[in-house]
């Protein structure tokens, strides 16, 4: 017996709306990812006609037997933590300070946003010169700070820091350069979020006797949770992929102290280990997904506080 | 109108994706490449695609291409220039198609080896043009007894010295042993100069000193290749000795040298504040552009006693020119390579680009090229650092030298490097 069509059921043409997006997703994301998986199971060198299937060996090596990958991961986590903390806090402070649409605020917002429009390589070269221990601005400023005590007769030696030459701290200095470049961009996201917070909430809280910090903690922060989620997720992904900055400041391959996951994977490709690099890339992708997932879970709890 | 449930659509999309995935070729290609053969003979005709990365040489090559076209009717040359990083990563696949790069260069080391292995180079061993080159300078283009390419440029990857500064410090000739080199450094320091401007923050340029430091210390000329094979270790006494010598050099570098980039040390040298620029002759043009007026030469530390020193310095041959096996205009491509191998044309290239070349009988007009020209026939070693084909191993070994200059103990730095090498062998 022929089934009667439910008149409320959508017509097949409705599927034409999602199919183009799905086709693009399959062509430009799903297939390359599957192909990366295919490569990751081989020892292909990137150019030979021959290769061997090695099963999960590449993944086992990435996760258990590659100290360079582990070193890059540790560097990347250090980089991420500094950028996440400094960039988020500084951009939020600037956004609160420049939230009003006065002429001065708009001018200052434009100035703080300016580094964002520079290419990462330009930022890298600017900061490479800033950090140069012989001629750089950073040591120049430190030296100038000691000028006054010296004029007053105190025997104060001008401190000179070896910013990128100290393996223990080099990655933190690069992280600060990354913050400089992107604080303005994140500030704009926060400004948009802050301008959406209803003023009545602050007025009611003020009547209830809430102080400034309490208002920030219980009104501002939950209200801007969506903006905060965007900032944190974007900063995280950006920190994992800060390839150009390292390339400009240290060259490829970089010193071990500046090697992060993206530069590590690039070096592996350059070493003609295509299959292994594909495995590294997939682990890298999974790491970003996991970190972003955990962050989103945490931030969504914060967002629920205002309900 | 018929309806199609969403689940059916998703299944169809998944099937489409799986089908496409299955259709995707696996890694690599099963097509066999024709390379590693002699050059095809015939009348030169057509357009020769000359692929390379040296955008700064475009005008000179244009000038040479015009002269070539005038002398060879029916043949023209079109340059296909890509940035060096892109060339490193993409050239092989682009050239294998044969659409570009009838004549092409490779970098020495990993890229050259990769191109030979992939069969892209045609065998030049029997070509007369090879006789135009200084034999000792083109070994980087040979492998397995065959000459696959001809290295065109020569650079000296050893410290550049300020001859005025050396004269002021009372030094008239290059030291012949390690003690003499340390005395030279003391005298430069005594003259109020930074003896060595070294870019320890730029591992690519910092590693050039490694060439001079190991050329006479290493147990064999292929020691770096053996490190990569695991038959020689960086924890062996000769390398620990080398690292100890790096430690001896600590007081002679500029302060915080491990964080200094190459631009800063060029400035230090060009301004006359440093006696030596510890990179290579390829930076001479840059320091001239920064205003350096003083005469320069190159000077390599000899790390052994004078009678134990096998080499006086280091050279490297880059830009290894070859012919593409997939080229459809091989006779024309060969004619272009022959043209570039002529001493007069090579001289045009050398003088216009301020680079030494491997072609014999070239007249150098530039004062700096003339000053350094005698080094073309002196006992110099082909830069050993480029024997490393694995960038991670090279980084680990050269990184250990930077760590030692930064204060690490030689034995600890060597062990750390060896651990990485062991992982990668």
């Amino acid at each position: 017996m022929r089934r009667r069509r439910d008149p409320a059921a959508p017509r097949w043409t409705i599927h034409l709306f999602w199919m183009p997006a799905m086709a693009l997703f399959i062509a430009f994301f799903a297939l390359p990812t599957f192909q990366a998986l295919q490569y990751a199971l081989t020892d292909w060198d990137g150019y030979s006609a021959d290769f061997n299937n090695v099963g999960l060996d590449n993944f086992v090596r990435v996760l258990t037997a590659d100290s360079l990958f582990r070193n890059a991961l540790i560097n990347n986590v250090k980089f991420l933590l500094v950028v996440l903390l400094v960039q988020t806090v500084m951009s939020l402070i600037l956004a609160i300070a420049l939230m009003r649409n006065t002429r001065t605020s708009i001018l200052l917002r434009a100035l703080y946003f300016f580094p964002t429009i520079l290419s990462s390589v330009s930022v890298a070269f600017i900061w490479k010169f800033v950090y140069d221990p012989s001629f750089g601005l950073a040591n120049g400023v430190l030296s100038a700070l000691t000028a006054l005590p010296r004029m007053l007769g105190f025997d104060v030696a001008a401190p000179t820091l070896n910013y990128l030459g100290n393996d223990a701290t080099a990655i933190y200095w690069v992280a600060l350069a990354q913050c400089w470049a992107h604080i303005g961009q994140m500030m704009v996201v926060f400004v948009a979020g802050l301008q959406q917070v209803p003023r009545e909430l602050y007025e009611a809280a003020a009547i209830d006797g809430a102080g400034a910090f309490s208002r920030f903690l219980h009104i501002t922060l939950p209200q801007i949770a969506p903006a905060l989620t965007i900032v944190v997720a974007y900063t995280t992904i950006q920190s994992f992929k800060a390839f150009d900055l390292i390339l400009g400041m240290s060259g490829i391959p970089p010193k071990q102290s500046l090697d992060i996951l993206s530069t590590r994977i690039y070096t592996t490709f350059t070493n003609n280990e295509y299959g292994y690099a594909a495995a590294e890339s997939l682990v890298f992708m999974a790491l970003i997904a996991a970190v972003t997932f955990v962050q989103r879970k945490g931030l969504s709890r914060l967002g629920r506080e205002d309900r | 109108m018929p309806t199609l449930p969403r689940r059916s659509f998703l299944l169809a999309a998944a099937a489409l994706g799986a089908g496409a995935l299955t259709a995707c070729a696996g890694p690599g290609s099963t097509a066999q490449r024709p390379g590693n053969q002699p050059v095809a003979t015939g009348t030169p005709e057509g357009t020769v695609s000359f692929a390379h990365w040296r955008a700064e040489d475009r005008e000179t090559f244009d000038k040479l291409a015009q002269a070539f076209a005038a002398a060879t009717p029916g043949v023209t040359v079109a340059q296909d220039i890509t940035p060096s990083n892109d060339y490193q990563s993409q050239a092989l696949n682009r050239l294998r198609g044969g659409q570009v790069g009838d004549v092409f260069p490779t970098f020495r080391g990993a890229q050259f080896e990769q191109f030979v292995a992939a069969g892209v180079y045609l065998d030049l061993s029997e070509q007369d043009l090879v006789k135009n080159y200084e034999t000792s300078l083109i070994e980087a283009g040979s492998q397995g007894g065959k000459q696959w390419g001809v290295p065109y440029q020569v650079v000296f990857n050893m410290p550049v010295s300020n001859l005025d500064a050396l004269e002021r410090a009372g030094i008239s000739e290059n030291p012949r042993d390690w003690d003499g080199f340390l005395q030279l450094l003391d005298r430069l320091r005594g003259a109020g100069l930074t003896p060595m401007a070294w870019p320890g923050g730029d591992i690519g340029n910092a590693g050039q000193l490694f060439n001079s430091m190991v050329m006479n210390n290493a147990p064999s000329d292929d020691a770096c290749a053996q490190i990569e094979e695991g038959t020689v270790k960086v924890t062996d006494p000769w390398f620990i000795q080398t690292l100890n010598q790096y430690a001896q050099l600590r007081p002679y570098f500029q302060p915080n040298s491990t964080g200094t980039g190459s631009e800063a040390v060029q400035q230090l040298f060009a301004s006359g504040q440093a006696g030596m620029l510890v990179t290579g002759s390829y930076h001479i043009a840059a320091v001239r552009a920064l205003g350096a007026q003083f005469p320069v030469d190159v000077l390599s530390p000899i790390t052994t006693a004078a009678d134990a020193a096998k080499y006086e310095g280091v050279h490297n041959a880059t830009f290894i020119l070859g012919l593409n096996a997939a080229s459809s205009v091989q006779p024309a491509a060969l004619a272009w390579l022959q043209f570039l191998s002529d001493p007069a044309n090579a001289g045009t290239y050398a003088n216009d680009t301020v680079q030494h070349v491997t072609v014999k009988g070239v007249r150098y007009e530039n004062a700096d090229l003339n000053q350094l020209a005698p080094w073309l026939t002196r006992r110099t070693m082909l830069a050993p650092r480029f024997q490393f084909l694995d960038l991670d191993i090279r980084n680990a070994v050269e990184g250990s030298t930077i760590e030692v200059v930064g204060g690490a103990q030689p034995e600890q730095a060597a062990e750390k490097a060896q651990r990485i090498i062991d992982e990668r062998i």
Side-chain angles (χ1 to χ4, degrees):
Chain A
M1 198 174 90
R2 192 176 169 193
R3 223 171 50 175
R4 287 188 63 193
R5 190 175 77 83
D6 179 359
R11 292 182 178 278
W12 69 269
T13 47
I14 199 168
H15 298 299
L16 293 177
F17 288 92
W18 61 264
M19 279 177 71
M22 180 59 83
L24 290 173
F25 176 81
I26 289 172
F28 296 110
F29 182 80
L31 279 181
T33 306
F34 277 121
Q35 201 156 31
L37 181 61
Q38 196 181 7
Y39 292 152
L41 302 175
T42 72
D43 64 354
W44 190 42
D45 58 13
Y47 60 91
S48 295
D50 303 319
F51 62 91
N52 298 306
N53 287 309
V54 295
L56 295 175
D57 285 3
N58 285 334
F59 291 98
V60 172
R61 182 178 154 201
V62 172
L63 297 171
T64 63
D66 189 342
S67 64
L68 291 175
F69 190 85
R70 198 163 51 244
N71 169 67
L73 176 62
I74 292 167
N75 283 341
N76 222 145
V77 170
K78 290 176 182 172
F79 185 88
L80 168 69
L81 291 176
V82 171
V83 175
L84 204 54
L85 186 71
V86 175
Q87 190 168 293
T88 308
V89 170
M90 286 303 296
S91 56
L92 183 56
I93 290 171
L94 285 175
I96 290 169
L98 303 174
M99 189 177 69
R100 290 186 178 174
N101 286 331
T102 63
R103 280 187 184 174
T104 313
S105 290
I106 291 170
L107 176 69
L108 287 173
R109 287 204 306 245
L111 279 177
Y112 285 121
F113 188 78
F114 177 72
T116 305
I117 63 173
L118 296 174
S119 77
S120 307
V121 176
S122 305
V123 171
F125 277 94
I126 289 168
W127 282 88
K128 191 175 166 185
F129 289 119
V130 168
Y131 287 147
D132 184 86
S134 303
F135 301 103
L137 180 67
N139 274 344
V141 169
L142 286 179
S143 176
L145 289 176
T146 59
L148 185 63
R150 280 205 301 273
M151 279 167 62
L152 296 173
F154 294 102
D155 185 19
V156 182
T160 55
L161 295 182
N162 191 6
Y163 301 91
L164 302 178
N166 183 337
D167 287 349
T169 57
I171 195 71
Y172 301 120
W173 295 113
V174 179
L176 290 181
Q178 170 88 346
C179 294
W180 176 84
H182 293 283
I183 279 175
Q185 190 182 6
M186 296 303 111
M187 173 195 72
V188 170
V189 178
F190 277 131
V191 166
L194 286 166
Q195 288 178 342
Q196 300 300 315
V197 182
R199 296 199 60 77
E200 297 79 17
L201 293 178
Y202 293 112
E203 288 164 7
I207 291 167
D208 289 345
F213 182 70
S214 182
R215 288 200 298 270
F216 173 78
L217 200 63
H218 298 293
I219 299 174
T220 308
L221 213 51
Q223 287 288 318
I224 63 165
L228 189 61
T229 307
I230 293 170
V231 167
V232 169
Y234 183 81
T235 303
T236 302
I237 293 168
Q238 190 192 54
S239 300
F240 273 114
K241 296 165 77 176
F243 177 82
D244 304 1
L245 196 63
I246 303 286
L247 173 88
M249 290 179 104
S250 182
I252 288 287
K255 288 160 103 171
Q256 280 182 45
S257 57
L258 293 179
D259 203 11
I260 60 171
L261 291 173
S262 54
T263 52
R264 178 96 306 269
I265 292 167
Y266 185 85
T267 305
T268 310
F269 274 116
T270 313
N271 266 336
N272 299 325
E273 294 180 278
Y274 211 92
Y276 185 58
E280 287 182 324
S281 303
L282 290 170
V283 172
F284 178 50
M285 197 171 80
L287 273 171
I288 294 181
V291 171
T292 309
F293 176 78
V294 170
Q295 283 175 345
R296 283 182 66 87
K297 280 280 177 195
L299 289 167
S300 66
R301 277 188 196 163
L302 180 67
R304 278 199 294 272
E305 268 192 30
D306 65 328
R307 287 177 204 154
Chain B
M1 251 173 134
T3 60
L4 191 58
R6 193 174 66 168
R7 184 173 294 174
S8 303
F9 257 99
L10 287 173
L11 282 173
L16 185 74
L21 187 63
T22 311
C24 285
S29 158
T30 52
Q32 292 299 312
R33 304 309 308 171
N36 303 358
Q37 296 163 356
V39 186
T41 53
T43 309
E45 56 185 5
T47 298
V48 176
S49 167
F50 180 33
H52 63 92
W53 63 82
R54 290 190 61 87
E56 61 272 38
D57 295 352
R58 177 196 289 271
E59 283 184 25
T60 305
F61 280 128
D62 271 343
K63 189 162 92 177
L64 288 165
Q66 283 169 17
F68 172 67
T72 321
V75 184
T76 55
V77 174
Q79 295 188 65
D80 183 287
I81 303 174
T82 43
S84 62
N85 276 344
D86 291 346
Y87 192 89
Q88 287 246 25
S89 57
Q90 299 166 9
L92 182 62
N93 286 329
R94 292 183 71 219
L95 265 61
R96 287 169 86 172
Q99 274 79 37
V100 295
D102 299 305
V103 178
F104 67 94
T106 58
F107 293 91
R108 185 191 150 206
Q111 196 185 33
F112 172 73
E113 304 273 340
Q114 185 189 60
F115 274 56
V116 172
V120 179
Y121 273 114
L122 283 171
D123 183 5
L124 296 179
S125 306
E126 301 303 318
Q127 298 297 326
D128 286 342
L129 66 89
V130 176
K131 293 174 190 156
N132 289 8
Y133 291 82
E134 196 73 59
T135 312
S136 62
L137 299 176
I138 60 168
E139 62 178 287
S142 66
Q143 194 199 68
K146 290 185 175 178
Q147 194 73 40
W148 301 108
V150 280
Y152 203 54
Q153 296 171 347
V154 184
V155 293
F156 297 101
N157 316 45
M158 51 204 262
V160 179
S161 56
N162 174 342
L163 293 178
D164 282 352
L166 292 186
E167 192 181 327
R168 279 206 307 279
I171 297 149
S172 55
E173 62 178 30
N174 289 355
R176 293 180 180 182
D177 58 20
W178 183 242
D179 289 341
F181 185 69
L182 293 179
Q183 279 171 17
L184 175 148
L185 298 176
D186 277 330
R187 285 195 189 178
L188 284 170
R189 194 166 56 172
L193 296 166
T194 296
M196 295 197 290
W198 179 63
D202 171 358
I203 195 165
N205 279 302
Q208 301 293 11
L209 178 60
F210 175 87
N211 291 314
S212 296
M213 297 297 282
V214 302
M215 68 182 182
N216 289 314
N217 279 356
S220 66
D221 281 358
D222 64 346
C224 291
Q226 289 198 49
I227 288 172
E228 202 163 277
E229 287 162 11
T231 48
V232 167
K233 292 187 181 298
V234 292
T235 46
D236 290 347
W238 72 273
F239 195 74
I240 299 292
Q241 160 72 5
T242 305
L243 291 179
N244 276 312
Q245 288 175 316
Y246 266 98
Q248 284 180 283
L249 295 179
R250 281 175 195 152
Y252 303 110
F253 295 123
Q254 78 281 8
N256 294 318
S257 60
T258 56
T260 310
S262 60
E263 296 84 359
V265 293
Q266 286 170 46
Q267 182 63 48
L268 204 62
F269 182 72
S271 62
Q273 297 174 65
M276 284 185 275
L277 172 63
V278 188
T279 55
S281 64
Y282 54 89
H283 272 154
I284 292 176
V287 297
R288 290 283 179 235
L290 288 170
Q293 299 287 329
F294 46 81
V296 297
D297 201 344
V298 286
L299 183 168
S300 185
I302 304 297
T303 51
T304 58
D307 56 357
K310 191 173 170 186
Y311 296 106
E312 299 173 84
V314 179
H315 76 270
N316 194 33
T318 59
F319 209 61
I320 303 174
L321 289 173
L323 302 182
N324 189 345
S327 167
S328 57
V329 291
Q330 288 182 19
L334 176 63
W336 170 236
L337 191 55
Q338 284 168 333
F339 183 84
L340 292 176
S341 307
D342 178 82
N345 300 324
T348 301
Y349 175 80
N351 290 308
D352 280 12
T353 61
V354 197
Q355 299 274 352
H356 287 103
V357 287
T358 48
V359 176
K360 289 186 281 194
V362 167
R363 288 171 60 87
Y364 294 106
E365 291 158 10
N366 176 283
D368 292 327
L369 291 180
N370 257 329
Q371 174 72 36
L372 270 62
W375 282 94
L376 289 167
T377 50
R378 289 174 74 167
R379 286 179 296 133
T380 58
M381 182 181 188
L382 186 60
R385 67 184 299 222
F386 299 111
Q387 289 172 17
F388 292 118
L389 301 181
D390 185 312
L391 292 174
D392 286 325
I393 292 181
R394 190 173 92 188
N395 244 18
V397 176
E398 293 179 359
S400 70
T401 69
I402 296 173
E403 284 181 22
V404 167
V405 173
Q409 288 298 316
E411 290 79 6
Q412 287 172 355
E415 279 165 20
K416 184 179 164 194
Q418 190 59 49
R419 275 198 297 275
I420 292 168
I421 296 165
D422 290 341
E423 253 181 31
R424 299 197 57 80
I425 294 175

